[in-house]
């Protein structure tokens, strides 16, 4: 099979898996040529298919594998990224049905919204903070199209880095007024504390993840644009979602966001 065929075949299979709520096997076993570079081409194609079918548009980016523990688990030395579409955004306060998902999980994140372009190859934490209009608490709902959430990096990247839906708190904060690195967070599931920590859980500083993304995108001729939303990576382990679950991500100085799930 020539490369463009592989890109189209895998993208279509992932698109159908999400649409039909059916998990698939890892692709690396079937396609030994599937490496990270090819995986990002597949991700691009998959996102194009969704834009077309759902009449939606790109609104930003998400980061994955931003913690050392996650990277070691996957045998990689850097994060991964995926694309956020308008059709993925949920409104705070609206109950979310779990019926469209295969086996969804929820993660607490810090969202950055830009008011200036960030273009690599030398974007720094200071550049990110200077280009950020505001930050807000967020919850990302990840879902994998692979059986048992088991995949390699190339598989996950192809699958738009396990992205599914996201919700951003409706109160926005100037990043100059909070120390994102030291900012504490509490993540609760049904009122019980599931995780605590600080912003530094994401690459030592959440803005470092955004800088990494800008520099990585530069390698493929892309940049971060004004108005885009960037989910900077999960601050804790992802928690499985069941009907009736309620997740709250609270951050010192920037409030909280809550997601409630139904059948």
């Amino acid at each position: 099979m020539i490369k463009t065929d592989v890109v189209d075949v895998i993208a279509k299979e992932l698109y159908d898996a999400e649409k039909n709520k059916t998990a698939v096997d890892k692709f690396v076993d079937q396609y030994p040529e599937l490496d990270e570079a090819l995986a990002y081409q597949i991700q691009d194609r998959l996102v194009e298919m969704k834009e077309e079918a759902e009449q939606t548009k790109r609104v930003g980016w998400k980061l994955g594998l931003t913690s050392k523990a996650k990277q070691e688990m996957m045998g990689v030395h850097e994060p991964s990224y995926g694309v956020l579409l308008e059709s993925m955004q949920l409104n705070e306060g609206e109950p979310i049905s779990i019926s469209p998902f295969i086996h969804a999980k929820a993660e607490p994140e810090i969202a950055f919204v830009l008011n200036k372009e960030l273009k690599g190859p030398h974007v720094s934490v200071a550049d990110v903070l200077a280009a950020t209009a505001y930050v807000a608490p967020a919850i990302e709902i990840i879902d994998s199209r692979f059986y048992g959430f088991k995949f390699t990096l190339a598989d996950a990247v192809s699958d738009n880095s396990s992205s599914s839906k996201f919700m951003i708190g409706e109160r926005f904060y100037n990043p100059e007024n909070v120390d994102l690195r030291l900012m504490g967070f509490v993540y609760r599931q049904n009122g019980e504390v599931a995780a605590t920590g600080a912003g530094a859980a994401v690459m030592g500083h959440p803005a470092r993840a955004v800088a990494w993304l800008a520099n990585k995108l530069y390698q493929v001729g892309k940049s971060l644009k004004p108005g885009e939303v960037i989910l900077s990576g999960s601050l804790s382990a992802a928690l499985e979602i069941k009907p009736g679950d309620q997740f709250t991500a609270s951050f010192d100085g920037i409030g909280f966001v809550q997601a409630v799930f139904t059948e």
Side-chain angles (χ1 to χ4, degrees):
M1 238 188 237
I2 51 175
K3 266 205 176 149
T4 48
D5 285 352
V6 173
V7 168
D8 287 340
V9 165
I10 295 178
K12 177 80 168 77
E13 210 167 315
L14 285 166
Y15 178 82
D16 290 343
E18 182 169 6
K19 202 170 76 173
N20 305 326
K21 275 182 59 180
T22 50
V24 294
D25 287 316
K26 289 186 298 201
F27 291 110
V28 287
D29 304 334
Q30 210 178 329
Y31 303 98
E33 69 273 40
L34 180 54
D35 59 8
E36 191 187 326
L38 189 58
Y40 279 115
Q41 287 178 42
I42 293 164
Q43 180 187 111
D44 257 354
R45 183 71 194 102
L46 175 62
V47 170
E48 279 168 12
M49 289 166 80
K50 288 183 179 189
E51 283 177 298
E52 224 167 278
E54 297 167 17
Q55 294 292 291
T56 186
K57 61 180 198 280
R58 298 171 192 233
V59 292
W61 305 86
K62 59 150 285 179
L63 283 131
L65 305 179
T66 48
S67 75
K68 271 280 165 274
K70 272 263 186 76
Q71 288 174 18
E72 281 165 16
M73 197 175 88
M74 294 297 289
V76 297
H77 63 279
E78 63 174 14
S80 62
Y81 65 82
V83 174
L84 298 177
L85 294 167
E86 198 171 45
S87 55
M88 294 177 178
Q89 188 158 5
L90 300 165
N91 296 320
E92 193 178 0
E94 276 179 32
I96 305 154
S97 166
I98 67 161
S99 65
F101 307 115
I102 298 172
H103 39 203
K105 298 180 182 188
E107 299 180 328
E109 309 236 354
I110 297 165
F112 287 70
V113 178
L114 303 180
N115 57 10
K116 294 189 190 80
E117 184 185 28
L118 281 172
K119 191 174 184 178
H122 304 299
V123 174
S124 67
V125 167
D127 296 333
V128 171
L129 295 174
T132 300
Y134 55 83
V135 290
I139 288 176
E140 184 185 9
I141 299 163
I142 58 168
D143 197 13
S144 172
R145 273 48 75 172
F146 297 104
Y147 284 113
F149 249 95
K150 289 188 167 50
F151 43 71
T152 66
L153 177 69
D155 287 307
V157 165
S158 303
D159 188 26
N160 200 20
S161 291
S162 306
S163 62
S164 187
K165 300 281 180 188
F166 69 99
M167 176 188 284
I168 295 174
E170 284 160 11
R171 290 163 297 282
F172 307 140
Y173 297 86
N174 186 326
E176 285 174 12
N177 300 335
V178 286
D179 185 336
L180 293 173
R181 192 171 63 87
L182 299 178
M183 179 176 69
F185 78 91
V186 180
Y187 188 39
R188 289 184 175 86
Q189 181 176 17
N190 304 324
E192 299 287 316
V193 173
T196 59
V202 170
M203 295 178 76
H205 194 305
R208 188 168 290 122
V210 181
W212 174 87
L213 176 61
N215 295 329
K216 181 81 171 173
L217 287 173
Y218 175 79
Q219 297 169 15
V220 287
K222 295 177 184 174
S223 64
L224 299 177
K225 301 280 198 298
E228 287 188 328
V229 177
I230 294 107
L231 297 181
S232 56
S234 184
L235 290 150
S236 80
L239 300 177
E240 198 182 323
I241 301 167
K242 297 183 191 71
D245 275 348
Q246 182 183 66
F247 294 89
T248 311
S250 312
F251 297 88
D252 293 346
I254 66 165
F256 69 93
V257 62
Q258 189 170 73
V260 180
F261 294 87
T262 62
E263 280 291 356

